[in-house]
Amino acid sequence: MATMEMEDIDNQIRDLRTRISHLQAHRANLTTALLSAPHLPTRLQQRPVSKPIHAKKALKAVQKQQARNVKNIYRACAGVTAYKVKDPDPNAVDGGNILGVRIEVEIDGHFVETYHVLLHRPNPKNKIGLKVHKHTIPTCIPLLQLAKTHLPQMTRDSSTMPEQNITKFAQKLRKELVSWHLRRTAIGQLRVEAGLPAPVSNKEEETKTAPAMGKVLNAFISDDEDESDEDEPRRRGRAGPNKIVDIEADESVREITVTWSNGRAGRMVVTKDGEVERGVVRTVDGTRVTEMERKAVGRIEGLVARLMGN
Amino acid sequence: MAPQAKLSVPTIGNLPHAHRLPVTHREVVRTFSKLSRQSLLSLAQQWLSRKTRDFCRPYLYADQDPDLGDDDAQFDPAHSYEELQEIYKELGLRKGGRKEVVDRMLEGDWRNGISMYQLATAEIQYLLDHPGALRWNAKRLAKIQHSKTRVKDMEVTNDSEHLPRFQAQTFMANLARELSPLMKGHYLIIRIKTMPLTLLRVYIHDSPYGTESSVATTDTHAPDGAKSVFFVWPDGSPFVYVSVATHMGQVVGEEARHLRDIVLHAIPKAFSRPSSRYELQNTNFTARTLQALLTFRGPGKSNAAAGGWSIFADNSFSQNALDFLTAPRPVETGNGASKEEPSSENKAGKGHPKRILVQGETPEVKRRKEIAEGRFGTSAKENDGQGIERFEVRIDDPFPAIFNNGVRQEDAALAQPSKRGRKGRPSLLDRSLEEIAESQRDDTWAPDVRVTFQGSHVFAGIRQLVEQGVIDGEKMPGWMTGEAAVTVGAVKHGRIRTKGSVPGV
């Protein structure tokens, strides 16, 4: 009896909690909408109030909201925005002044990732010479190469200032980042088309159940290698079309590996803008399947359709 | 893929996976005695799976010699692989000690010997169970600059490639070609599922012979050294992690170290192709856990945004461009009273970490916490698994004429200055001839001052000292927050010198 009541009360509390958080989210949305109303600051200033301190507070909130709105609009529309940062290090060069470049990557109507490059001016002789200080660009993006080309540094003995082009640098960097994300999305899409499960992300459950060790890469063994694990049905020798059992890509998605159920394996090279340049497909005994190789060339998005459409 | 490699094995003479070591072999005993029951059982299942059966042949009923009475054997041989798999599954379901499983494996099912493959997977399993078992040195595979190709290397075109390409098969063939005249080895390359990396284990066999009997003999006069080296390639990055020459905690003799160096030198050669040669560069980073290595020298966003800059790498600073809410999040703040505070804190974190808004009478402790937040960002938290055990710097500033604030502050920072034995091996911190010449030219005297921080998580410790007011968080130099992302470095003018280094490594 008592436990029943306890449970009931617990449920009620839980319901109330979720209700509270819903209402709070709703209130936050309403606040945002209200604070973003046009001409609000002027109206606040014109209307006489009993306590001026409240009007001041309200004005502050409105200004903050509108600053955010402007910022977000720029970020969303421009894709690349700059901002100023102060380096907290007391020994930082140039008094800790830092120029930040923020790059947004949007795919399918979502802002999927944000990257930052922080630049400083280390050279007292070259007051406008920028140098990459910190950044959050993944290693598969050629940041160093871009920086060397577009943000050349003054060498010790040269007296002339090298020409720098920060706009070009940001443009090219953004292009690299966006095309990388697009390629990654395309691979995910290919896996869906081939009817494969989504690639395993760092899920906790996965690590617990499956052994941590993956595929052995230099195990060249038995003839029944392609029979794979016991849980996978035996497909060899079975009549019917070959199925694609795996599509993998390397981290920078410049190379795609496709495995078929009969042990046939293909490797395709992809350019940065998502064109499958060339590919090699081999059967399990090593002979090349030139017909498939020809089919593979083309846009990355249609790869599975081209390979499956025999 | 498979057939060609099968043919190439005899010519390049690697130790094959199926070579067996006797169960009394030192390496076997050492490895098996460390593994937990759970790991042993999961290994047994892997070995018995159809894919790897050929390398891990157990002792079955059919192998029994009818002439010899097997009455004294403790374990009856199983009749089939399936039966063995069942036995190990049952063992996994009930509770028991690990000794029981080890005995069953070494004296029962694999009494004929443990194959090289089994030993390798067992050691890798131990490594994954205990991520801090080895110390790792992060190296970078860099292209050797050549005046003719330099311009081309810097080009970024639609199909340019700036990372070394890792193909397991080609790499293995090249590596074996480099090494087989010097020594014999057993190699195992494996993908790790739980972390984005590829692992290579090399078992060094210091003998010209690659036969099973030569592998099995234990050299009695040889030092009891480590026989295996691990190399790790994180996905999509130019780095290689090399296990430092200790065998799961044991020091390695000089001889074994030479062999290890031979393997190390062969790695960049195996990566190289005509007209693109690679070399291994030191990145001044050593850590125990692979997690820390992946954070500081990994494929992701956090490499060049350590310390306080970590707010840029995780999304604590950059909110989504479509997130218009300035009011506090409903989940974070429970009551309406604290409405103003969190938003002002957020604001302080944005790009102005130093300027913390202190409203009215904020207690000193809170202020220090906020300073630490500004200097360390979201990094250097205890138990984040990214601990660095040892951080060494050499102070290169010339000896000051007058004592100023800077010196006093550094004294306070020396939590545990350790005395270095100056007679030991040359340290990475020893000044190069070039640097000595430079300091002489400047006509100043710079004493050889070195500071070493040691602990389970050095930067988390410094952060705690800042929070407790032992270190002045505002005057603390940036390298003490770990933002330089090195474990060895030289400091001049309060900054880690970055001569000739790549931005953000």
Side-chain angles (χ1 to χ4, degrees):
Chain A
M1 215 25 219
T3 50
M4 284 282 280
E5 265 174 39
M6 287 283 277
E7 244 172 57
D8 208 35
I9 291 171
D10 276 349
N11 281 340
Q12 279 183 22
I13 292 174
R14 207 173 306 130
D15 285 349
L16 279 177
R17 287 248 164 86
T18 41
R19 226 175 111 83
I20 289 172
S21 64
H22 274 306
L23 286 174
Q24 276 174 338
H26 189 56
R27 187 185 66 176
N29 274 334
L30 287 179
T31 318
T32 312
L34 178 68
L35 291 176
S36 313
H39 311 305
L40 196 60
T42 11
R43 271 155 66 192
L44 272 175
Q45 277 166 336
Q46 283 164 355
R47 188 71 56 87
V49 278
S50 54
K51 280 190 180 168
I53 183 107
H54 287 177
K56 228 178 184 176
K57 255 189 175 172
L59 203 62
K60 233 181 175 176
V62 171
Q63 276 162 353
K64 196 172 142 200
Q65 178 65 50
Q66 292 190 337
R68 164 71 75 90
N69 290 355
V70 171
K71 247 191 236 168
N72 276 2
I73 287 165
Y74 271 99
R75 278 178 190 150
C77 298
V80 182
T81 43
Y83 54 90
K84 277 192 213 161
V85 189
K86 183 104 177 96
D87 193 337
D89 185 356
N91 302 308
V93 288
D94 190 28
N97 288 324
I98 280 179
L99 176 72
V101 176
R102 176 179 162 137
I103 298 173
E104 310 277 347
V105 177
E106 68 252 49
I107 283 173
D108 288 341
H110 293 282
F111 285 92
V112 287
E113 194 62 277
T114 308
Y115 296 98
H116 298 269
V117 181
L118 301 157
L119 305 139
H120 65 172
R121 296 175 294 186
N123 200 335
K125 279 187 250 167
N126 185 1
K127 269 274 122 191
I128 51 163
L130 289 163
K131 191 180 175 203
V132 176
H133 180 41
K134 305 275 166 188
H135 64 83
T136 67
I137 310 291
T139 41
C140 56
I141 304 295
L143 176 78
L144 167 70
Q145 281 80 353
L146 288 173
K148 279 218 171 153
T149 324
H150 299 290
L151 303 175
Q153 296 304 308
M154 215 167 116
T155 48
R156 188 167 282 183
D157 18 81
S158 78
S159 53
T160 53
M161 283 178 214
E163 206 171 303
Q164 297 197 332
N165 193 341
I166 177 80
T167 324
K168 196 107 190 165
F169 171 73
Q171 268 176 3
K172 288 231 172 137
L173 188 59
R174 178 169 184 277
K175 191 181 167 196
E176 291 280 332
L177 285 166
V178 173
S179 65
W180 177 54
H181 272 278
L182 283 171
R183 291 197 302 274
R184 291 218 311 195
T185 321
I187 289 293
Q189 194 57 43
L190 287 182
R191 288 184 65 93
V192 172
E193 278 174 40
L196 301 169
V200 200
S201 53
N202 306 333
K203 273 182 194 162
E204 282 298 315
E205 324 124 48
E206 193 68 30
T207 63
K208 273 176 199 154
T209 51
M213 269 180 265
K215 203 171 153 197
V216 179
L217 298 175
N218 65 334
F220 315 111
I221 19 151
S222 46
D223 320 70
D224 53 355
E225 196 182 21
D226 55 308
E227 272 174 37
S228 63
D229 288 330
E230 299 87 88
D231 49 335
E232 206 140 334
R234 277 185 73 138
R235 291 210 186 85
R236 204 180 188 201
R238 190 192 274 182
N242 262 320
K243 272 175 69 184
I244 291 176
V245 288
D246 200 12
I247 297 178
E248 272 181 321
D250 62 338
E251 184 73 15
S252 54
V253 198
R254 299 294 307 282
E255 208 179 75
I256 307 173
T257 314
V258 183
T259 321
W260 279 269
S261 53
N262 65 347
R264 198 198 279 168
R267 223 169 229 168
M268 287 100 199
V269 179
V270 187
T271 59
K272 282 180 187 163
D273 54 10
E275 200 81 31
V276 179
E277 238 181 3
R278 55 187 183 272
V280 173
V281 183
R282 280 178 194 276
T283 58
V284 73
D285 52 7
T287 38
R288 283 176 67 164
V289 191
T290 39
E291 181 205 6
M292 276 291 183
E293 289 171 12
R294 269 199 308 279
K295 272 187 193 166
V297 178
R299 284 299 303 171
I300 184 172
E301 288 86 359
L303 182 66
V304 167
R306 286 198 303 276
L307 292 179
M308 302 255 268
N310 283 316
Chain B
M1 282 169 274
Q4 295 96 316
K6 211 173 192 174
L7 287 177
S8 69
V9 166
T11 53
I12 51 176
N14 287 336
L15 297 180
H17 288 317
H19 266 19
R20 278 187 294 208
L21 292 171
V23 289
T24 50
H25 193 274
R26 204 163 43 198
E27 293 288 316
V28 174
V29 174
R30 178 151 62 201
T31 310
F32 274 72
S33 62
K34 283 185 303 196
L35 285 164
S36 70
R37 179 188 167 94
Q38 193 58 42
S39 305
L40 283 167
L41 290 171
S42 115
L43 278 171
Q45 290 293 353
Q46 284 172 45
W47 293 338
L48 292 169
S49 74
R50 194 170 288 142
K51 261 198 236 172
T52 51
R53 265 177 204 178
D54 288 11
F55 316 137
C56 316
R57 211 164 278 272
Y59 184 77
L60 293 177
Y61 187 75
D63 301 329
Q64 235 173 358
D65 197 340
D67 300 339
L68 288 166
D70 255 339
D71 301 333
D72 54 333
Q74 202 184 339
F75 298 96
D76 290 330
H79 286 82
S80 67
Y81 287 99
E82 283 71 26
E83 189 189 330
L84 267 183
Q85 279 174 327
E86 273 307 308
I87 289 171
Y88 281 103
K89 208 175 268 175
E90 268 171 37
L91 277 173
L93 289 176
R94 65 182 166 85
K95 282 198 159 51
R98 46 171 295 283
K99 189 84 178 72
E100 171 194 29
V101 185
V102 175
D103 285 349
R104 161 133 213 131
M105 282 176 153
L106 296 185
E107 285 163 31
D109 299 323
W110 281 282
R111 66 186 84 172
N112 277 359
I114 294 293
S115 72
M116 298 303 295
Y117 178 85
Q118 284 173 297
L119 185 65
T121 42
E123 266 192 29
I124 292 169
Q125 182 68 47
Y126 178 75
L127 183 66
L128 295 173
D129 290 347
H130 306 266
L134 286 171
R135 280 179 70 219
W136 300 88
N137 215 332
K139 306 245 181 208
R140 179 198 190 85
L141 270 171
K143 231 177 205 178
I144 297 175
Q145 292 288 339
H146 191 266
S147 55
K148 275 182 196 161
T149 56
R150 186 174 294 160
V151 181
K152 203 169 151 276
D153 285 348
M154 281 302 139
E155 263 176 15
V156 180
T157 57
N158 195 19
D159 49 5
S160 66
E161 188 85 59
H162 70 287
L163 291 177
R165 179 144 301 292
F166 184 77
Q167 295 293 11
Q169 287 87 353
T170 321
F171 173 77
M172 268 321 303
N174 286 343
L175 186 66
R177 196 167 49 223
E178 286 288 327
L179 289 177
S180 57
L182 300 166
M183 54 177 232
K184 294 285 169 281
H186 170 255
Y187 308 93
L188 186 76
I189 303 189
I190 199 163
R191 289 270 320 150
I192 305 296
K193 273 187 195 154
T194 47
M195 283 183 270
L197 38 90
T198 309
L199 197 145
L200 164 69
R201 175 191 178 271
V202 182
Y203 178 89
I204 298 170
H205 177 49
D206 184 15
S207 157
Y209 308 109
T211 56
E212 193 160 4
S213 56
S214 96
V215 176
T217 49
T218 320
D219 235 346
T220 41
H221 55 83
D224 184 21
K227 291 214 160 191
S228 51
V229 196
F230 290 90
F231 297 90
V232 166
W233 283 269
D235 288 355
S237 81
F239 302 108
V240 187
Y241 312 151
V242 184
S243 68
V244 174
T246 53
H247 183 293
M248 313 281 183
Q250 277 159 311
V251 189
V252 170
E254 202 60 35
E255 213 169 304
R257 187 172 283 133
H258 279 305
L259 285 172
R260 193 185 149 275
D261 285 346
I262 292 172
V263 182
L264 187 59
H265 288 309
I267 295 277
K269 286 179 190 141
F271 261 98
S272 299
R273 287 189 312 245
S275 81
S276 79
R277 300 262 153 221
Y278 285 98
E279 61 181 348
L280 279 182
Q281 286 175 351
N282 203 347
T283 63
N284 296 339
F285 192 85
T286 308
R288 258 190 192 280
T289 61
L290 287 172
Q291 209 53 50
L293 283 156
L294 282 174
T295 308
F296 289 100
R297 296 284 184 276
K301 294 167 78 178
S302 50
N303 278 356
W309 307 96
S310 55
I311 54 163
F312 291 98
D314 55 34
N315 288 331
S316 56
F317 164 66
S318 43
Q319 78 281 2
N320 195 302
L322 296 179
D323 178 12
F324 286 94
L325 300 185
T326 50
R329 314 256 129 205
V331 197
E332 284 167 4
T333 56
N335 48 353
S338 61
K339 195 186 169 184
E340 278 302 299
E341 278 167 16
S343 50
S344 62
E345 259 175 28
N346 285 348
K347 202 174 160 193
K350 269 172 227 154
H352 304 272
K354 199 180 167 186
R355 268 186 45 228
I356 280 123
L357 301 180
V358 185
Q359 297 175 333
E361 282 184 17
T362 322
E364 186 61 19
V365 182
K366 198 183 167 201
R367 203 183 102 81
R368 286 201 296 259
K369 281 230 161 108
E370 283 173 346
I371 289 174
E373 182 76 35
R375 292 307 298 274
F376 289 94
T378 51
S379 74
K381 296 260 172 71
E382 226 182 329
N383 306 326
D384 61 357
Q386 296 165 3
I388 288 167
E389 290 76 25
R390 193 183 169 86
F391 176 54
E392 280 182 278
V393 286
R394 186 187 73 213
I395 311 288
D396 253 4
D397 288 317
F399 195 70
I402 323 146
F403 277 90
N404 54 13
N405 267 352
V407 175
R408 190 181 51 76
Q409 180 204 331
E410 262 157 31
D411 283 346
L414 309 186
Q416 273 187 324
S418 76
K419 274 217 158 171
R420 293 185 51 81
R422 300 295 299 113
K423 281 174 200 147
R425 284 194 307 132
S427 155
L428 268 176
L429 277 180
D430 286 342
R431 288 200 176 107
S432 64
L433 290 172
E434 202 180 318
E435 284 168 333
I436 292 170
E438 191 188 321
S439 70
Q440 279 168 352
R441 193 168 52 233
D442 293 348
D443 203 22
T444 49
W445 176 62
D448 198 355
V449 179
R450 295 172 192 209
V451 186
T452 307
F453 299 88
Q454 249 174 320
S456 57
H457 191 328
V458 167
F459 293 114
I462 297 179
R463 184 180 184 146
Q464 277 176 9
L465 288 178
V466 171
E467 283 172 1
Q468 284 159 15
V470 182
I471 299 175
D472 186 338
E474 283 177 84
K475 286 183 187 158
M476 177 177 67
W479 50 266
M480 276 176 65
T481 67
E483 63 177 44
V486 291
T487 55
V488 174
V491 172
K492 195 165 189 182
H493 305 309
R495 295 187 297 275
I496 296 256
R497 301 177 106 186
T498 52
K499 193 170 54 185
S501 84
V502 181
V505 198

